[in-house]
Structures are given as C-alpha cells and as structure tokens.
Amino acid sequence: MTADTPRRPVTERLRPNALGVLGVLFLVLSAQAPLTGIAGAVPLSVALGNGPGVPAAYVAAGAVVLLFSVGFVAMSRYVVDPGAFYTYIGKGLGRTTGTGSAAVALFAYCTIQAAMYGLYGATVAHLLREHTGIDLAWWVWALLTMALVQLLGVAGIDMGARVLALFVIAETGVLLAFALVTLVRGGGPEGLGITDSFSPHAALNGAPGVAMMFAVASMFGFEATAIYGEEARAPHRTVPRATYLSITLITAFFALTSWMVISAHGASHAGAAAGRALAGGDSSAFVFRPIADLFGGWAGDLLPALLATSLFAGILAFHNSANRYLFALGRERRLPHALCALNRRGAPWAAGCVQTAIAVLLVVPFALTGRDPVVTLFSWFSGVAVLAIMLLYFLTSVSVVVFFRRARLDRRLWNTAVAPILGALGIAGAIWLVLANLTTLIGGDRTTATWLALTVPAVWLLGAAAHLVRPGAATTARPALQKDPL
C-alpha cells in the first residue's frame, strides 16, 4: 500500500494475496472471450473493413493500447484500488470528473455483460434445441446463467479465476492449434500472404476504420489488471506484469489467428467468403469451417459449445469487474455504504447482488418485447460499451499526465508524459473511428446509433451531478459492516 492509497478497515478490504500474475491474467483473457472475438468480429472486419488487412489492425490497436498502458501502469504503482479507472481519473482530474467516470465504467461493464448475455442465450438455446430437443427461449438460459454467475461471484475471486482458466485454455487451445498448424504448413491455397495482411497498402485498403474499431474492441477488459490489484500478491509487481503480458498476448493471439483464418481461405477470396458467411446468417462459419476442414468434423461440433463457454467466461469476468466498481463506490460512500459488505471468502457479495439485478433489468426488456437478442441486445450494447471504455482510456491518459506533473512521484518522462500523450492521441483517433462507424457496429440505423452514443455523456453527467449533490460523501466516517452468512 502506497502513501497515496488510504488505509481501510479490515472489513472494507478485499481479500489480499488471492491472485498471482497468472490468476489476474486469466481473468483478463476471459473478459476478451477470445473465441467470441475471433468468430464474431473477424468475419465482420474482413467483409466490411479492409479484407485481408485485418491482422494489421490488431497490431495497430495493440500498439495504441500498449502506449496507454505505460502511464496506466505507472499510476498503478501509487494508487491501488478496485475502482481503477475512476480512482485514477479522480486523482488527476478531480473527484467530480472521477465520479462521472465511475458511472461510465459501471455503464460499460454492465452493458457489455448484458450484450454477451444476449449472444450467450441465443447460442445455448440453439445448441440445446439441436442436440437435446430442449426448446426454451434464449432469455430462460440467460436468467439461469445469471444465478450461476452470482453463485460463482460470492464463492470468491480465486474460485472464479479457476473456472475461467479452464474455459480460456479450452477455447484458445483449439484456435492456437489451428493457427500454428496452418502457419507451419505454409498457410492456405495462396500461401501465408504476409504482404496481403501486414503491408501498409493492405492495412489502409477498403474501410480500415471498421477493422480498427473491432480490433480496439478486442482489447476491452485488460484494465482489470488494476481492478484486482487489492486482491493480488505484491500488486506493484503483479499489476504491471499482468498488464503488459495480457496486452502482448491478446495482440499476438488475435493478429496470428485472424491472419491464419484469412490465409486458410486465401487472401484474394477471404472478403467474399466472409460476405457469404454474413449473408447466410452464420458469420462464425467463416472461422469454424476452415478449422473443421483441418481437424475434422469433431471440431465443427465442439466449436459452437466452446463459443458458449467463451461467452460465459466473459460474462463472469465482467460480473467480477463491475461488482468491484460497486464495492469501491460504496466504500467511498459515493453509493450506499452497504455495497462494500464482504462475506467470509472476502467477496463483495452485496455489490454482486446489485450487479446481477442490473443485468436482469438490462436484459428483461429485450425479452418482454420479443427483440432478437443478437441483432439488438448484443450489437447495441456492445457498441455503446466500446465507446464508453474508449472515453475512460482517454480520460485516464490525460489524468496520468496531470497527476505526475502535480505529484512529482515519478520523474520518468516517457512513462508519465510522452507515452500517455501518444496513447491519448491514438485513443482519440479510435473514438472518432467508433463514432464514424457506430451504425455499422450496432447493425442499426443512424438515429438509433446517435441515441445510443448520447447515453455515454449522459451517464457521465449523471455521475458528476451525483457527486456535486453530495461532495462530502467520500469523507464520511465508515461504520463497521455486517457479513452475510456465507
């Protein structure tokens, strides 16, 4: 704990030393839902973006996020708090800006989780209908899974990390095996096509903004390394290592796997193949078909099930992230203090219950109105969540520069000024790309896209206004907490 990190009563602290570098890493990688990102985003990027140049977009996005992470990690050495983004932003730009950012962070995590519930419910309903004959609506499986996620959440972060590790290993194992075998064999019918995927011409061909937008979205969730800092062993070493390692692995994984999928189709045919998959209503076929061709029919049967577990892993990861934000806000009395109640396993059970209730409130209206869970719930909320998290990245970069210019705790110019400024510029460009392509991202019309985009600043204003109404809330004395019976 640093001089800038306040001491907390034991009853208000998350369980320390529960996670090592690998535990934090699995929590981050599960939030990426690797198979979901590859099977869902790559076909859209290839068909609507820059075709075979998609792998270059992942490399560019990784470079921007890596620049951002330099300042993010520098700040994590002096501020350890499960509020992460909003705490960092508050330290540099003031409590009002920080509280508004907390509202945006909660909005981002809860909407991306709700989006994943939509795709998850549709995927599980289809699988069970096809293989068991059980025919229930998508929202039934979504609600049942919410109960399971709640149980895993109160079981403790170490238990959640073990469950997520199994799912992450399974889905990444199949994709990496396909990618490595294809790479060793020299690629598909047109070879590896290195220049087709990584040359400047390939990267800027077509609509590179669409590909860049999806590539940035694939990085969503890496900031959880700081969220779990309070529960990590030696956080000042664990958080930087887990952050840099997760960004490097995510970038390499998505760039390599997308490259090999494109190579398997042939660079000159990939765009048409992705377009046919989208037109056929099953975009994942663009990814699943070459894997099944390589490994056999069993892979084609396994991959849809792994897509469901990939989504479940992401849902659980975002549940853990969101309830820690609620916990931190309760501890600071920006929300009711009861939210920072812990059970015997050191898990924020009250915050978890509220997070699950939010998920129900976000998902149920789509079920009641009979809307398609993929076309509306998944696409709308994922687009909004990407925009919200990009805003947080930008504000955090600016805050890092202001914080270190004021506090003078770290005089490394690259870490505290140059890299954060470059990262902020790159993120500003990414925000522009998201706004310019939001209609494509959500699969809706311009009016719907505009209203959805406006929810992000509206949520920030509501959060900031809440702090202005109760500016002294964070300094109120903290009473002892009651534990739940678990």
Side-chain angles (χ1 to χ4, degrees):
M1 188 172 295
T2 69
D4 199 46
T5 305
R7 290 188 174 275
R8 311 285 188 188
V10 174
T11 52
E12 295 184 18
R13 282 186 241 155
L14 295 169
R15 184 156 66 92
N17 302 316
L19 297 168
V21 172
L22 288 179
V24 175
L25 184 63
F26 277 119
L27 286 163
V28 171
L29 294 180
S30 60
Q32 261 67 48
L35 184 57
T36 303
I38 291 294
V42 169
L44 288 169
S45 297
V46 173
L48 305 176
N50 56 349
V54 165
Y58 284 108
V59 175
V64 169
V65 173
L66 198 60
L67 280 172
F68 162 79
S69 70
V70 173
F72 181 75
V73 165
M75 194 124 177
S76 74
R77 298 177 185 276
Y78 300 94
V79 182
V80 178
D81 192 279
F85 276 149
Y86 96 78
T87 308
Y88 292 7
I89 292 169
K91 291 293 182 183
L93 302 181
R95 284 187 176 273
T96 301
T97 305
T99 306
S101 300
V104 172
L106 271 174
F107 182 63
Y109 289 129
C110 290
T111 50
I112 193 63
Q113 188 201 42
M116 295 178 85
Y117 271 123
L119 182 56
Y120 171 86
T123 301
V124 172
H126 174 74
L127 280 173
L128 292 177
R129 188 182 307 117
E130 183 174 313
H131 295 287
T132 68
I134 299 174
D135 189 5
L136 294 176
W138 66 271
W139 53 266
V140 174
W141 303 114
L143 292 175
L144 289 174
T145 302
M146 288 179 194
L148 178 58
V149 166
Q150 174 64 24
L151 289 174
L152 287 172
V154 299
I157 194 61
D158 48 350
M159 176 62 72
R162 293 190 190 102
V163 172
L164 294 175
L166 293 174
F167 293 149
V168 170
I169 290 171
E171 63 184 288
T172 55
V174 173
L175 291 172
L176 279 177
F178 162 77
L180 293 174
V181 170
T182 305
L183 179 66
V184 171
R185 289 186 174 183
E190 300 175 8
L192 292 174
I194 297 175
T195 56
D196 293 317
S197 290
F198 293 103
S199 68
H201 172 74
L204 299 174
N205 189 41
V210 174
M212 185 66 176
M213 176 182 61
F214 283 114
V216 170
S218 72
M219 300 290 169
F220 200 127
F222 84 89
E223 68 285 345
T225 53
I227 291 175
Y228 299 114
E230 193 170 308
E231 297 162 274
R233 291 189 287 273
H236 301 101
R237 291 194 300 272
T238 298
V239 171
R241 290 174 183 173
T243 301
Y244 290 134
L245 187 58
S246 64
I247 294 171
T248 302
L249 289 176
I250 291 164
T251 302
F253 173 82
F254 278 98
L256 174 64
T257 306
S258 62
W259 177 28
M260 289 301 100
V261 169
I262 290 167
S263 176
H265 285 280
S268 64
H269 302 291
R276 286 193 299 270
L278 291 177
D282 183 13
S283 61
S284 64
F286 177 72
V287 175
F288 290 172
R289 188 170 294 122
I291 297 177
D293 289 343
L294 179 63
F295 293 134
W298 66 267
D301 294 331
L302 177 64
L303 285 168
L306 287 179
L307 177 59
T309 60
S310 172
L311 287 161
F312 178 82
I315 287 167
L316 179 57
F318 285 119
H319 171 81
N320 287 328
S321 295
N323 68 26
R324 276 150 183 79
Y325 260 86
L326 288 166
F327 169 87
L329 289 167
R331 188 165 65 182
E332 296 294 335
R333 292 186 174 276
R334 302 184 195 194
L335 286 177
H337 190 55
L339 287 174
C340 62
L342 303 174
N343 62 20
R344 294 192 184 97
R345 297 178 180 88
W349 68 273
C353 291
V354 171
Q355 200 286 316
T356 300
I358 292 172
V360 172
L361 291 173
L362 290 174
V363 169
V364 166
F366 288 84
L368 293 177
T369 55
R371 291 184 176 272
D372 186 294
V374 179
V375 174
T376 57
L377 177 56
F378 176 71
S379 61
W380 290 6
F381 280 179
S382 58
V384 168
V386 168
L387 185 59
I389 208 72
M390 286 293 101
L391 175 61
L392 294 176
Y393 289 172
F394 178 79
L395 290 175
T396 300
S397 292
V398 175
S399 180
V400 167
V401 176
V402 174
F403 174 79
F404 283 110
R405 297 286 72 73
R406 182 190 301 145
R408 301 291 180 182
L409 293 170
D410 189 333
R411 297 183 180 274
R412 295 175 297 172
L413 190 62
W414 168 257
N415 297 69
T416 62
V418 177
I421 289 172
L422 292 175
L425 292 174
I427 292 161
I431 291 174
W432 179 83
L433 288 173
V434 170
L435 289 172
N437 296 279
L438 189 59
T439 302
T440 300
L441 180 61
I442 68 168
D445 55 65
R446 175 62 63 181
T447 301
T448 302
T450 300
W451 280 108
L452 288 173
L454 289 174
T455 60
V456 177
V459 167
W460 185 89
L461 287 172
L462 285 174
H467 174 72
L468 292 174
V469 171
R470 299 181 65 207
T475 59
T476 308
R478 299 180 175 89
L481 296 177
Q482 297 295 320
K483 294 186 178 182
D484 81 331
L486 288 178

